[in-house]
Amino acid sequence: MGREKFSALDMLSKRSLPERKEKQAIIYKDPRELVPTQENFYTTKNISKLKASIKITGYLMQPILIENVDGEDKVLAGHRRRLCCIELIEEGDTRFEKVPCMYAAEINVSEDKELTPEQREAITPFLRQFKVIQANNYRDKNDWERMQEALEMEKIVKGLKEKVGITGTVRENLKELLGVSNAQFGRYKNISNHLSEELMEEFQDGEINISVADAAASLEPELQKMAYEMYMKNKILTLPDIQLLKDQQALNADIPGQMTIEQATRQQKPVEDETPIPVELQIERFFDSLKKNTTARIRNGDKLMGTKMISMLYCYVKHRNGYLNYQGHPDRITFNPDSPEEKEMTWQELTEELIRRYSIKKPVKMTTIDAPEAVVTLTESAAVKAFCEAYPKKLKTIMRICRRCKDNGEAAKAVQMDFAPGGFSSSSGSNVNYSFMSFTAGLEIEVNSEKVSMKYGRLIVEAKNLYDPFSPEFDIEPKKPEVKDDGGPAKCITGQSGSGLCGAAAYCSQEYNCCSQCPDDCNSRCGWILEKSCQSAAETPDEKQQEDHSGDLAEMGRHLRNTDKIPDAWPEDLKDIPVPTNVEIIGYLYDEERKLKEFLEIEKEESGLPYMTILKQQLIVGGLRIIKNLVEDCQEEPEESEQPPLPIMKNNDRRKEWLRNYKSWGLWYEDKNVGIKYYKYDFANGARLIVEEFAPDPSEKSQWYTPGEHHYMHLVGGPKPECKNDKGWSYHSRYNKYPNSETELVEFLKEIQK
């Protein structure tokens, strides 16, 4: 048989995933009897959340995919679910002694006429490995798992090229099978080959992202060890941190510029010159050799960051070349070591001396003799202190977030989400201004027209250095109802107030004894009065309750829905409540979360809201979040797959063809109650294109015409169009009922691919 006949995609798809000849049934197996397959490389760490979800629902949302090999049932997909069930059984939960499983289609190449018997035997292990990857195609993967998937696929492609002779290069086949670009695969190889074991473990756990891991992999082993120590100390590792270490790596080179082969291979080292050099002259030369960003810190008088950067860059640097003669240490620098003129300085002392000599003195306004000395430099520590003093409410928020977070990294992300959930929040017009941006961009604090930028992690570190998060001053004080001057507070008519007093009427400016008498649905409602109802004086609570809640739960269930259609995943305790659609639950949850956010903003003010009102809204939001998860569990559709890359479209015909071929993006979700399917595509500029597809109308079918599907396209978010010559598109910040035309979307695609 001739070689170079098959493509990798054709060979793998036709032989590793054959069509099922009959419907595969679900069987129930003891998870302790299932054996993990040796081909699995996906991580099985951090299963606590999945375990809790399985324990709450009481069953698995998807069966474990297994295959029988040599009499053993081996797991192809579902290793994490298997471990969760085993742990629950060991904890005494007998519900998981039998779990749903499904046998995967068998690999059978024994009758493959296109291959020789030797080739069939040789490719079987590669087909088994590919089968594991395909079986886990639906799962949500982190960057480390995507990297491992690409590396395993590289082994498969190389094996097939050697055994069968498939067409195309390895990189071309990887791009066709996984959609991995050459640049991305290069990053994977760099991380796999050079990243240290400690950092690789954090990368595997998702604690550092792929950009940081790729940058750290280019460092020498000693500097990677320092990067890991930085991460363990701050619980966060950023690209600027790696850049500092890269600068230090450049300084560690024996001779800058071009080198001979002997010097590059360490066969020839420059001769050391231990001649003592005056320390004053060395400090001057030391400053001249600093990197640009470090020099800027010194000139701006930033002692904190200047000390940090110099100590990191020069802690292990040694220079004895007749121009400089010093040895760096983790805590100090030694000039002219082992000589009568030896002198040691801590890194902080050296930084202070450099600032004294070379910092730029800013002009100071003339003041009286008794006036305090003007501040001429702004450090990160001073900026954070000024910010906390100017905005005590935000300080309380930061401290309360630090209390509940396990480390500084988690607290930094929580503060960013609280202060700038939309990516930007600012305040100006006073002596202390701020701008909070995305987590990557960080924040900026301005004090008396001087600005300093920093990351959220640095804000947390500086704030905790200044204040104790567990100090009583940051405790949440319970709100107490105020006593009115005219006759005292009103009595609670519901009987649910522990004190017997009406906690809502006390905050109302109107002369009402109870919020039920108020026609407005204001923020002072106590939460114990039924919405859209006003109790009259003659109507007792018992009569009202009997009118609203007559009948048993079974009768209520019959009025609410047809109970025969309730999914098995819907909990028994909620059988009397209808299963909402995705659109419904997302809409309700959005409204209630926005209402809760407004309540919490009001709670920060001095007037505040009754405790029970806020608690009620928190319980509503919490319940809707749980129901949203249950609704997703009831859906039979597979998890969302990764969208295909945006192709290069050189003309409008190709752009229209891409828009009309929206089904290739993958089904987002389907609302079966109204027969609508949704498809979406997320662009890199933040825009999202949503396609709303309607089923054909059977009433339109005739002898000459068969109706087809029709759809509407909605462009949401992204950049606003710069209309030139009446060309552009209708901009919508949120999804609404007005669709975009194909002409508008062609202009949008043309703009983003310029």
Side-chain angles (χ1 to χ4, degrees):
M1 186 190 74
R3 298 180 65 84
E4 301 292 337
K5 183 178 180 181
F6 307 104
S7 72
L9 184 62
D10 290 340
M11 169 164 285
L12 293 172
S13 61
K14 291 179 180 180
R15 292 164 176 81
S16 63
L17 295 175
E19 296 183 359
R20 299 172 183 169
K21 297 181 179 180
E22 56 183 17
K23 187 176 180 181
Q24 295 174 318
I26 294 178
I27 58 176
Y28 288 84
K29 296 277 188 178
D30 189 332
R32 295 166 293 188
E33 298 176 356
L34 302 179
V35 180
T37 181
Q38 295 180 353
E39 288 83 4
N40 179 66
F41 55 84
Y42 296 97
T43 181
T44 55
K45 296 182 178 180
N46 303 324
I47 62 174
S48 57
K49 292 184 179 179
L50 177 61
K51 176 182 171 183
S53 174
I54 293 175
K55 184 175 181 180
I56 291 173
T57 56
Y59 56 89
L60 301 183
M61 302 302 174
Q62 293 178 333
I64 298 175
L65 191 64
I66 60 176
E67 65 173 351
N68 190 275
V69 180
D70 299 329
E72 290 183 329
D73 289 328
K74 293 193 174 183
V75 179
L76 285 178
H79 293 82
R80 300 171 78 244
R81 283 170 280 163
R82 168 185 168 273
L83 289 177
C84 290
C85 293
I86 291 176
E87 289 187 8
L88 290 170
I89 294 172
E90 292 174 350
E91 293 173 3
D93 198 332
T94 59
R95 294 178 297 172
F96 302 99
E97 291 181 347
K98 296 292 182 181
V99 295
C101 302
M102 178 185 291
Y103 281 109
E106 296 182 357
I107 300 176
N108 186 9
V109 294
S110 59
E111 299 180 358
D112 196 331
K113 298 180 180 179
E114 295 177 335
L115 301 174
T116 65
E118 293 78 12
Q119 289 176 329
R120 296 171 198 161
E121 183 179 357
I123 69 170
T124 299
F126 302 116
L127 298 181
R128 289 181 55 80
Q129 184 64 65
F130 182 75
K131 190 175 182 180
V132 172
I133 295 176
Q134 288 299 98
N136 288 273
N137 189 44
Y138 66 89
R139 66 178 293 167
D140 184 20
K141 310 179 187 77
N142 60 28
D143 289 329
W144 181 87
E145 289 177 315
R146 294 190 184 96
M147 179 185 74
Q148 293 299 119
E149 199 171 67
L151 295 176
E152 291 296 327
M153 191 65 78
E154 181 193 30
K155 296 178 184 177
I156 294 173
V157 173
K158 286 183 176 179
L160 293 178
K161 286 185 73 67
E162 178 184 354
K163 304 298 181 182
V164 183
I166 57 174
T167 60
T169 65
V170 174
R171 295 293 178 92
E172 290 173 347
N173 281 291
L174 286 176
K175 188 173 183 180
E176 184 179 22
L177 292 168
L178 294 178
V180 178
S181 65
N182 291 345
Q184 183 71 347
F185 188 73
R187 299 173 77 188
Y188 289 155
K189 294 289 286 185
N190 181 44
I191 294 171
S192 176
N193 294 335
H194 302 109
L195 192 64
S196 68
E197 183 178 350
E198 295 84 358
L199 291 175
M200 183 69 78
E201 185 174 352
E202 302 302 330
F203 178 49
Q204 181 178 355
D205 293 342
E207 298 298 330
I208 59 175
N209 60 40
I210 188 171
S211 298
V212 173
D214 182 41
S218 62
L219 296 174
E220 295 176 352
E222 295 81 4
L223 296 179
Q224 290 197 41
K225 184 177 180 180
M226 292 179 61
Y228 178 70
E229 292 173 353
M230 292 171 59
Y231 168 77
M232 294 302 295
K233 180 180 179 181
N234 300 322
K235 295 302 180 184
I236 188 172
L237 189 63
T238 63
L239 285 174
D241 295 332
I242 302 298
Q243 186 59 46
L244 279 174
L245 297 174
K246 283 188 175 181
D247 292 342
Q248 179 175 335
Q249 183 169 283
L251 286 171
N252 287 338
D254 288 336
I255 299 178
Q258 295 183 349
M259 295 186 296
T260 64
I261 296 176
E262 291 78 10
Q263 291 170 343
T265 58
R266 304 284 179 166
Q267 297 176 15
Q268 175 184 339
K269 295 183 179 180
V271 179
E272 291 186 352
D273 186 349
E274 299 183 358
T275 304
I277 302 171
V279 175
E280 296 295 320
L281 179 59
Q282 287 203 65
I283 292 177
E284 179 180 342
R285 293 175 175 177
F286 183 88
F287 178 76
D288 292 338
S289 67
L290 292 177
K291 294 288 186 179
K292 183 178 180 180
N293 55 350
T294 310
T295 304
R297 296 286 183 177
I298 298 299
R299 293 195 179 280
N300 291 331
D302 190 344
K303 182 173 67 175
L304 181 65
M305 284 303 297
T307 303
K308 178 181 178 182
M309 295 172 72
I310 290 175
S311 62
M312 288 181 58
L313 289 172
Y314 297 91
C315 60
Y316 297 109
V317 174
K318 174 184 176 182
H319 276 295
R320 297 186 185 181
N321 53 17
Y323 184 77
L324 288 167
N325 188 352
Y326 69 81
Q327 173 68 58
H329 307 278
D331 58 340
R332 68 193 188 282
I333 182 172
T334 304
F335 292 102
N336 301 320
D338 303 325
S339 73
E341 300 180 23
E342 177 179 319
K343 181 178 180 180
E344 288 189 345
M345 299 177 69
T346 65
W347 293 114
Q348 183 174 343
E349 291 172 345
L350 177 60
T351 305
E352 291 174 349
E353 177 64 21
L354 292 173
I355 290 175
R356 185 185 66 80
R357 293 188 184 193
Y358 303 106
S359 64
I360 300 174
K361 309 299 184 192
K362 296 185 179 179
V364 182
K365 294 182 179 179
M366 296 298 294
T367 60
T368 61
I369 297 176
D370 297 332
E373 184 179 356
V375 178
V376 296
T377 58
L378 179 64
T379 63
E380 291 180 338
S381 180
V384 172
K385 183 177 181 181
F387 168 79
C388 294
E389 292 174 351
Y391 301 95
K393 292 180 180 178
K394 292 194 177 294
L395 170 62
K396 287 185 178 181
T397 301
I398 294 174
M399 293 296 103
R400 291 170 183 173
I401 288 175
C402 290
R403 284 184 179 184
R404 68 172 186 260
C405 293
K406 62 181 181 180
D407 53 51
N408 292 345
E410 182 179 332
K413 295 177 182 178
V415 167
Q416 189 276 327
M417 289 301 299
D418 188 279
F419 288 176
F424 185 80
S425 174
S426 65
S427 174
S428 59
S430 62
N431 292 334
V432 181
N433 304 318
Y434 62 82
S435 295
F436 292 106
M437 295 162 282
S438 66
F439 187 76
T440 304
L443 62 121
E444 183 179 81
I445 299 176
E446 179 182 355
V447 182
N448 296 328
S449 301
E450 294 185 54
K451 296 181 180 180
V452 62
S453 300
M454 67 185 75
K455 295 295 185 179
Y456 284 92
R458 176 54 52 186
L459 172 66
I460 297 299
V461 171
E462 296 293 348
K464 291 174 73 174
N465 288 338
L466 295 169
Y467 303 95
D468 179 12
F470 295 94
S471 175
E473 62 181 305
F474 304 122
D475 293 342
I476 300 177
E477 300 178 0
K479 299 292 182 179
K480 297 181 180 180
E482 298 179 0
V483 179
K484 291 187 177 181
D485 296 334
D486 52 350
K491 301 295 182 182
C492 177
I493 67 171
T494 66
Q496 299 189 56
S497 172
S499 63
L501 303 178
C502 178
Y507 292 96
C508 187
S509 60
Q510 303 296 328
E511 296 181 357
Y512 295 122
N513 291 329
C514 177
C515 59
S516 66
Q517 301 170 356
C518 179
D520 300 324
D521 186 13
C522 62
N523 290 330
S524 295
R525 298 186 75 86
C526 66
W528 294 332
I529 305 300
L530 295 177
E531 295 182 2
K532 299 181 181 180
S533 65
C534 293
Q535 287 180 307
S536 63
E539 186 179 28
T540 65
D542 292 339
E543 293 172 346
K544 186 70 178 175
Q545 184 176 6
Q546 292 173 2
E547 178 182 344
D548 290 342
H549 302 287
S550 60
D552 56 6
L553 293 177
E555 184 66 22
M556 291 173 62
R558 282 192 291 273
H559 284 288
L560 288 169
R561 61 173 292 118
N562 181 1
T563 56
D564 295 337
K565 297 181 180 180
I566 298 178
D568 295 334
W570 198 242
E572 187 67 29
D573 296 338
L574 302 180
K575 293 299 184 182
D576 58 324
I577 297 177
V579 180
T581 64
N582 256 331
V583 176
E584 292 170 341
I585 191 64
I586 291 174
Y588 295 148
L589 179 58
Y590 175 83
D591 293 337
E592 296 301 329
E593 285 182 331
R594 183 176 59 182
K595 188 175 181 181
L596 175 60
K597 185 176 181 180
E598 294 173 354
F599 280 16
L600 295 177
E601 288 294 331
I602 297 172
E603 191 266 343
K604 296 177 182 178
E605 305 297 332
E606 294 182 358
S607 58
L609 280 176
Y611 170 75
M612 290 302 296
T613 302
I614 298 177
L615 178 60
K616 174 189 174 183
Q617 190 63 26
Q618 289 173 329
L619 294 176
I620 291 175
V621 172
L624 287 174
R625 288 174 180 171
I626 294 174
I627 293 177
K628 178 177 177 292
N629 292 334
L630 292 173
V631 169
E632 293 175 353
D633 294 340
C634 291
Q635 296 177 344
E636 299 178 356
E637 289 81 13
E639 296 182 8
E640 180 181 350
S641 58
E642 188 175 355
Q643 67 181 20
L646 189 66
I648 298 176
M649 297 169 280
K650 297 183 178 180
N651 53 53
N652 289 345
D653 290 337
R654 292 190 178 183
R655 296 184 183 101
K656 292 178 181 179
E657 180 182 1
W658 183 82
L659 290 169
R660 294 165 185 171
N661 193 28
Y662 60 85
K663 291 187 178 181
S664 64
W665 308 344
L667 181 65
W668 185 18
Y669 70 92
E670 180 180 8
D671 192 340
K672 295 184 178 180
N673 293 325
V674 293
I676 300 178
K677 293 182 179 179
Y678 293 89
Y679 302 81
K680 74 172 178 68
Y681 195 94
D682 293 323
F683 297 94
N685 60 4
R688 168 175 286 183
L689 180 56
I690 300 175
V691 181
E692 188 179 23
E693 181 189 79
F694 298 86
D697 189 354
S699 63
E700 299 177 356
K701 186 175 182 180
S702 64
Q703 183 178 356
W704 301 276
Y705 172 72
T706 300
E709 301 159 336
H710 62 282
H711 62 274
Y712 298 111
M713 293 190 171
H714 306 263
L715 186 64
V716 182
K720 294 184 179 180
E722 297 179 0
C723 297
K724 297 178 182 178
N725 301 326
D726 297 330
K727 291 185 178 182
W729 58 90
S730 302
Y731 178 81
H732 303 291
S733 60
R734 293 177 55 191
Y735 180 89
N736 59 55
K737 64 180 180 180
Y738 301 106
N740 295 83
S741 67
E742 189 178 71
T743 304
E744 291 177 299
L745 297 176
V746 166
E747 292 299 322
F748 171 79
L749 293 175
K750 186 187 303 182
E751 183 67 24
I752 67 173
Q753 290 203 322
K754 280 186 178 179

